[in-house]
Amino acid sequence: MNGISDKKLLFKSLYIEIKAILDGDANTDEKLLTICKLLKGNIEYYDWVGFYLVNPTVKNELVLGPYEGEPTEHIRINFGQGICGQAAEIKDTFVVQDVSKETNYLSCSPRVKSEIVVPIFSEGELVGEIDIDSHSISPFTDEDKMFLEEIANLVAGLFQE
Ligand code: SME
């Protein structure tokens, strides 16, 4: 990827593809998995892409949903725990450019160097998160944040009654 404009173009085309996936006939899990694969496969520094979903029956708990990348032991995460749990608590995007500097962190793999977590809201309620791990330090820019927040808005449609 050479510079911002390439990244912008890539994000624009991925946005269109994700819209088409969401408009398709597959079920929710299949759609989320296809999105994970698309993002991991097309953005070189996205090394693990997954969704955590708010458990509707257990208060303040996230449950691992579809993902693409190495298996993780963190299937259930309480709000406040790790980067995912902190994002759920503050209800905002949480970017950690160097996970070695974050004390409240749940490691999935020693290869992971940075992480971005973007909340998904449906009708004002937190319903899940997009979680991305990278093997690079400081790879995430404002473009990533904006792009992923747009994707979270699109995905939110799956959770509307
Ligand atoms: N690192 C996360 C846990 C989930 S894994 O990245 C898949 C955290 O600190 O919440």
Side-chain angles (χ1 to χ4, degrees):
M1 233 178 293
N2 305 309
I4 285 173
S5 64
D6 286 359
K7 199 156 151 171
K8 260 200 179 127
L9 280 178
L10 174 62
F11 285 169
K12 208 170 170 183
S13 82
L14 291 174
Y15 181 89
I16 291 165
E17 280 191 68
I18 288 171
K19 226 167 174 296
I21 292 164
L22 292 169
D23 286 343
D25 293 330
N27 68 37
T28 293
D29 275 4
E30 288 166 348
K31 286 179 180 179
L32 293 179
L33 182 60
T34 307
I35 293 169
C36 293
K37 288 183 173 167
L38 185 75
L39 292 175
K40 184 175 182 297
N42 284 280
I43 304 171
E44 56 184 356
Y45 53 94
Y46 287 14
D47 293 298
W48 189 97
V49 179
F51 289 90
Y52 278 93
L53 304 174
V54 173
N55 189 336
T57 51
V58 177
K59 209 171 168 263
N60 296 344
E61 184 183 79
L62 297 161
V63 181
L64 181 63
Y67 69 93
E68 182 73 1
E70 282 177 44
T72 173
E73 65 191 62
H74 303 296
I75 311 290
R76 292 170 188 278
I77 299 177
N78 290 326
F79 283 22
Q81 231 183 14
I83 296 168
C84 293
Q86 290 181 81
E89 211 161 56
I90 61 173
K91 295 188 168 37
D92 203 355
T93 298
F94 195 174
V95 187
V96 177
Q97 301 284 16
D98 179 354
V99 293
S100 73
K101 302 213 163 78
E102 172 62 48
T103 49
N104 188 358
Y105 169 62
L106 303 169
S107 174
C108 286
S109 150
R111 296 173 73 198
V112 174
K113 299 282 187 295
S114 57
E115 180 161 354
I116 181 168
V117 180
V118 180
I120 302 166
F121 298 100
S122 175
E123 286 147 18
E125 291 290 311
L126 181 77
V127 291
E129 300 177 336
I130 305 172
D131 180 18
I132 294 170
D133 289 344
S134 176
H135 297 166
S136 309
I137 290 189
S138 297
F140 304 115
T141 63
D142 281 349
E143 311 265 19
D144 292 86
K145 182 175 182 285
M146 277 188 289
F147 168 62
L148 293 168
E149 286 175 354
E150 282 173 0
I151 301 308
N153 278 336
L154 286 182
V155 167
L158 293 173
F159 298 90
Q160 262 144 34
E161 301 276 289

